[in-house]
Amino acid sequence: METIEADKGPQGPGLKGWRNLPRRSRGLSLRTLIILRWLAITGQSATIAVATLGFHFDLPLLACLTVIAASVAMNLQATRRLKRPDPPVADGGLTAAHLGFDILQLTLLLGLTGGLQNPFCLLLVAPVTVAAASLPARQAIVLGLMVLLATVGLFFWALPLPWQAGTELNLPALYRFGIGLALVTGVVFTAAYAWRVAADAEKLELALATTQDVLQREQRLAALGGLAAAAAHELGTPLATIQIVAKELKRAFPADAAAAEDAALILEQAERCRLILKRLSQRPEDGDALYDDVDLKALLEEVAAPHKGFDLDFRIVVRVADGSPPPRIKRMPEVIHGLSTLVENAADFATREVRLTAAVDAGWIEIEIADDGPGFSPDILPRLGEPYVTSRPQGKARRALAAQIAAAAMPKGARKPRRGRAAPEPEPTTEDLIAPSQGGMGLGFFIARTLLERSGGRVSVGTGAGPKGKPRGARVAIRWSRQALEPMRAGGPDAEVSQGGGETLTAPGSVTT
């Protein structure tokens, strides 16, 4: 079960966080690069046609068309490569090579038409922006340096800017320097912005994929009951046949014969199998009307049960506005896993107590999970809706587990002093048995929130209501409409409810009322 600070991610052991992971960028597909270059060729050709035919500018037409023809030839060659039986897949090196060619082609075209005086020099920003959004940092930086060198070259070398016949436009060197500086600044800031947006999108994509994996695992676990019942049904007939044949064999031999004893053993084991299959067929299965909903109090007990026993008191309260019995709600994997993750996190932070409070009124069901720990830190609280947000390295449950593993691995009697030997070292404390934390990716709260909101709930976080000057703890509240949680029955959502009532208080070792 994931918490806000996962020790190990799916990518490998010892993961320190997403910032230490290499970018998974794979570049652009060859088809996308071809389409982008055709668009550039069309724009360049149209611009030259308008400048020559419309404004009658004196352009070096042959040289410009040669540069554009080189880009056309590059695209035709890429198109032939794409039509092969084994076309190349999206690759960072291939994308960088094509973008580098586009930078060189555009630089030559600008050099023939005025250099930095040409307002279309702004187009040099485009290849670097695409590289920052789709390529690893090293390749994107190389393309950025190419644009920087191209800007310097266009400042010192370029043909005059084409203008109307009989008129020559010469801009001051300081103005051209300003244009070049603005171009470099635009490349840097635009590329940095594209890089940041791509990195955030990549984080979100990975987090959503992890959430989907968690949900699929929960659904598979929920489906195991159905598979067990189906297996029990299919095995029932051959098991009955075995019992009949075993009874016939037992009757066919004297009671003291070895074959009769074997037949009795077969009957005994067949009866044992029958009882096992009966229990399997009685387990909850997905889609069974008897098990597809659960009492609200029982649901809270279920999500809290795995986390009891770590020197914490769990206080479970169910309040119904009109005093009626608590409603039954649909047993959804999203709700169970989301609540379990939040309860586990509260147990890790809590000092003595974790409170689960459910409030039910005519239209809403709200579940609040609170602890008496230090609460959310101010720098974490505004970003709790984002993935990869973590606040501390190791929790109480993890410490207890480390201590149990270390104690189980210790040989029995290993610390008993032998005659003639020195006394053993002092017994290590729980803190001594804890291995250093591996850090975490901080996906637990994001996954829990995503699953709960997928079920129709609205999640809000804040601090508890403790006294000032003392830790007030953390509070997470989830609010659903009753239609989103309660099963639809013939007599309405409240036609079948549990026989419990009012308020339920539960703590380890206490009596449930």
Side-chain angles (χ1 to χ4, degrees), residues 44 92 94-95 118 123 183 212 218 222 264 277 296 306 368 375 386 467:
Q44 293 168 2
L94 180 65
T95 301
N118 191 329
L123 293 176
L183 179 60
Q212 189 65 29
E218 292 294 325
L277 293 178
L296 179 57
E368 180 181 288
E386 304 175 8

Side-chain angles (χ1 to χ4, degrees), residues 321-381:
D322 57 2
S324 61
R328 297 185 70 84
I329 62 175
K330 290 182 287 188
R331 187 184 185 88
M332 294 187 288
E334 301 96 320
V335 175
I336 294 175
H337 183 87
L339 292 178
S340 297
T341 300
L342 296 178
V343 171
E344 180 179 358
N345 190 62
D348 279 352
F349 276 103
T351 303
R352 296 178 180 176
E353 183 183 66
V354 176
R355 299 181 300 278
L356 284 75
T357 305
V360 183
D361 59 20
W364 302 91
I365 296 177
E366 181 173 284
I367 297 177
E368 180 181 288
I369 301 170
D371 61 73
D372 59 352
F376 297 114
S377 60
D379 57 330
I380 292 293
L381 189 58

Side-chain angles (χ1 to χ4, degrees), residues 317-320 323-326 358 500-504 513:
V317 179
V318 179
R319 297 189 180 94
V320 183
S324 61
E503 179 169 321
T504 303
T513 60

Side-chain angles (χ1 to χ4, degrees), residues 72-319:
V72 172
M74 181 74 172
N75 238 20
L76 292 177
Q77 189 274 339
T79 303
R80 286 195 298 270
R81 190 177 180 184
L82 186 64
K83 291 181 179 180
R84 292 178 181 175
D86 54 341
V89 297
D91 178 72
L94 180 65
T95 301
H98 278 261
L99 292 177
F101 172 83
D102 292 336
I103 292 174
L104 292 176
Q105 189 261 358
L106 183 56
T107 301
L108 289 176
L109 198 57
L110 289 172
L112 295 171
T113 56
L116 295 181
Q117 300 181 74
N118 191 329
F120 289 98
C121 65
L122 180 64
L123 293 176
L124 285 172
V125 176
V128 182
T129 303
V130 174
S134 60
L135 294 179
R138 183 176 302 175
Q139 296 171 347
I141 291 174
V142 169
L143 294 176
L145 291 177
M146 286 183 61
V147 171
L148 177 61
L149 294 177
T151 303
V152 174
L154 291 174
F155 179 81
F156 290 103
W157 177 88
L159 295 180
L161 178 67
W163 208 249
Q164 296 176 351
T167 305
E168 184 176 350
L169 180 62
N170 289 320
L171 297 177
L174 182 60
Y175 182 82
R176 290 187 287 113
F177 176 79
I179 293 293
L181 183 61
L183 179 60
V184 172
T185 305
V187 166
V188 172
F189 279 94
T190 306
Y193 177 79
W195 172 270
R196 181 63 185 178
V197 170
D200 287 345
E202 190 173 293
K203 287 195 305 175
L204 187 60
E205 178 185 357
L206 178 60
L208 290 175
T210 306
T211 303
Q212 189 65 29
D213 290 342
V214 169
L215 182 58
Q216 289 176 356
R217 183 170 67 249
E218 292 294 325
Q219 290 172 340
R220 286 196 297 270
L221 292 175
L224 287 179
L227 295 175
H233 176 73
E234 295 294 333
L235 293 175
T237 300
L239 186 61
T241 303
I242 293 173
Q243 287 180 307
I244 293 174
V245 173
K247 289 180 181 178
E248 295 297 330
L249 290 175
K250 186 177 180 180
R251 294 194 190 99
F253 294 97
D256 56 349
E261 294 179 359
D262 292 340
L265 180 61
I266 293 174
L267 280 174
E268 178 184 350
Q269 295 301 316
E271 179 64 20
R272 181 183 176 187
C273 291
R274 188 186 67 81
L275 294 176
I276 294 174
L277 293 178
K278 181 179 179 181
R279 288 197 300 269
L280 287 176
S281 64
Q282 291 176 347
R283 288 185 178 180
E285 60 175 288
D286 190 23
D288 191 340
L290 183 61
Y291 297 107
D292 61 1
D293 58 71
V294 64
D295 184 83
L296 179 57
K297 171 208 171 238
L299 177 71
L300 298 181
E301 291 280 3
E302 178 180 349
V303 299
H307 313 294
K308 294 181 179 179
F310 296 130
D311 67 359
L312 290 176
D313 292 335
F314 280 79
R315 180 180 177 89
I316 300 178
V317 179
V318 179
R319 297 189 180 94

Side-chain angles (χ1 to χ4, degrees), residues 391-402:
S391 56
R392 49 91 175 96
Q394 197 169 26
K396 188 175 300 180
R398 216 171 263 102
R399 291 198 299 267
L401 181 60

